[in-house]
């Protein structure tokens, strides 16, 4: 849900008096509307849940919205000016989703830890970071967000991935 525009409310999504809606592994970013650029959820709609998604939270009108395990960060798309919304290597959406469909929108396979958004990052290989002292997101994406346990890195590693272990770590 990116680069959409609405003339009244909810640039990406307008929800009014609906039954239960559960949205997972999505990106709501750079949408525009006079009210609720990303999401407009009326007071009568208290059954909207968004999980493991990237939402520009400053642009949400909330009337009963449940949020779970979401982030609010520039998704770092590959080339949005050219309408390419695949994720770049530095995207905070990479490996930050949860279990869902086995393939992305263009039939690329999802990793063991799926990405947020329609497109799974298809880098040539992943570097997975491990540091017992890291205090970030514990997702292995960089040193700040390194896994604290080597087993977590081994669990998500795929053929061709590299696991980097911080110097002095008591793993070997």
């Amino acid at each position: 849900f990116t680069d959409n525009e609405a003339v009244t409310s909810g640039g990406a999504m307008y929800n009014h008096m609906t039954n239960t809606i559960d949205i997972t592994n999505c990106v709501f970013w750079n949408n525009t509307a006079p009210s609720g650029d990303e999401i407009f959820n009326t007071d009568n709609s208290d059954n909207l849940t968004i999980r493991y998604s990237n939402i520009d939270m400053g642009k949400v009108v909330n009337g009963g919205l449940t949020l779970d395990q979401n982030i609010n960060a520039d998704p770092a798309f590959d080339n949005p000016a050219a309408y390419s919304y695949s994720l770049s290597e530095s995207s905070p959406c990479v490996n930050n989703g949860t279990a869902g469909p086995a393939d992305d929108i263009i039939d690329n396979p999802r990793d063991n830890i799926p990405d947020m958004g329609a497109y799974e990052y298809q880098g040539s290989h992943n570097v997975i970071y491990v540091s017992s002292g890291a205090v970030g997101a514990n997702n292995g994406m960089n040193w700040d967000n390194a896994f604290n346990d080597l087993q977590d890195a081994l669990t998500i590693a795929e053929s061709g991935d590299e696991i980097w272990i911080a110097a002095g770590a008591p793993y070997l």
Side-chain angles (χ1 to χ4, degrees), residues 39 41 45-46 48-50 55 57 60-67:
I39 301 166
N41 194 52
S45 299
D46 61 357
L48 174 61
T49 301
I50 302 177
I55 309 166
M57 288 304 299
V60 173
V61 173
N62 180 5
L65 175 65
T66 301
L67 301 172

Side-chain angles (χ1 to χ4, degrees), residues 27-168:
V27 175
F28 293 87
W29 206 263
N30 202 36
N31 298 292
T32 58
S35 180
D37 284 342
E38 302 304 331
I39 301 166
F40 187 93
N41 194 52
T42 67
D43 290 333
N44 297 329
S45 299
D46 61 357
N47 293 324
L48 174 61
T49 301
I50 302 177
R51 305 174 326 111
Y52 292 92
S53 294
N54 187 3
I55 309 166
D56 188 351
M57 288 304 299
K59 301 177 179 180
V60 173
V61 173
N62 180 5
L65 175 65
T66 301
L67 301 172
D68 181 31
Q69 302 294 319
N70 298 299
I71 62 172
N72 178 8
D74 183 331
F77 292 124
D78 186 44
N79 189 0
Y83 305 105
S84 174
Y85 298 106
S86 58
L87 302 174
S88 68
E89 184 175 5
S90 64
S91 175
C93 298
V94 174
N95 288 349
N96 229 346
T98 190
D103 298 323
D104 72 7
I105 195 168
I106 55 173
D107 293 326
N108 286 320
R110 295 273 186 187
D111 292 337
N112 290 335
I113 298 179
D115 300 340
M116 294 175 174
Y119 301 97
E120 187 75 9
Y121 175 68
Q122 298 293 315
S124 58
H125 72 279
N126 292 318
V127 174
I128 304 168
Y129 298 86
V130 178
S131 174
S132 59
V135 295
N138 195 34
N139 62 16
M141 291 304 301
N142 53 43
W143 288 120
D144 291 335
N145 297 304
F147 283 121
N148 298 126
D149 189 286
L150 176 59
Q151 186 59 51
D152 293 335
L154 293 170
T155 298
I156 70 159
E158 297 178 350
S159 178
D161 288 350
E162 297 178 18
I163 297 176
W164 293 9
I165 301 173

